Each structure stands twice: as C-alpha cells, then as structure tokens.
C-alpha cells in the first residue's frame, strides 16, 4: 500500500524528502503524493505526530521520539 510505503520512508529515514522525490521513488505523480500526505497527516495527528510540509525544504515528522516509534 502506497500510504504505508510513504510512512515507512518518512519514519525510517533521517533525511528530509520532498514530494517530487517521493513521487519519483514510488512511480506516481506529485499530486498523488500530496493527496496521500493529507491522509497520512490525519493518521499521524491522532498519534501526536505532526507532518510538516515546507516548500523548498521538504517533508518531515515532528513529535516525541516515543510517539514516532
């Protein structure tokens, strides 16, 4: 499932990714990734983790280490 793949990439990598990079890695469009990120954001918010999307910076997770694990 693509959403699980994106979550796994974001959770396991110390790097900051942008939507274009994720789209290329998953062979989908950037708009598909952005739609998936909106769904992921809802999932993570319920677990006290923030999905931060910053233009010209990338996508990163913010929360306590315990919540992220």
């Amino acid at each position: 499932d693509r959403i699980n793949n994106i979550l796994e990439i974001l959770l396991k990598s110390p790097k900051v990714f942008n939507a274009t990079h994720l789209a290329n890695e998953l062979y989908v469009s950037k708009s598909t990734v952005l739609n998936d990120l909106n769904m992921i954001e809802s999932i993570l918010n319920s677990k006290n983790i923030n999905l931060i999307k910053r233009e010209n910076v990338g996508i990163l997770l913010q929360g306590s280490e315990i919540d992220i694990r």
Side-chain angles (χ1 to χ4, degrees), residues 7-66:
L7 270 170
E8 186 175 339
I9 291 167
L10 294 174
L11 289 168
K12 290 186 176 180
S13 178
K15 295 188 326 184
V16 175
F17 289 96
N18 62 36
T20 302
H21 176 84
L22 289 171
N24 290 337
E25 191 165 316
L26 298 168
Y27 304 105
V28 295
S29 70
K30 181 179 173 182
S31 62
T32 297
V33 168
L34 292 173
N35 287 333
D36 289 347
L37 287 171
N38 288 333
M39 285 190 268
I40 290 169
E41 188 170 22
S42 297
I43 294 166
L44 293 177
N45 283 341
S46 70
K47 301 187 182 303
N48 298 320
I49 301 170
N50 295 318
L51 179 73
I52 299 173
K53 299 175 270 189
R54 294 200 177 132
E55 201 164 323
N56 299 322
V57 176
I59 302 157
L60 54 121
L61 301 179
Q62 182 181 51
S64 72
E65 186 175 343
I66 291 171

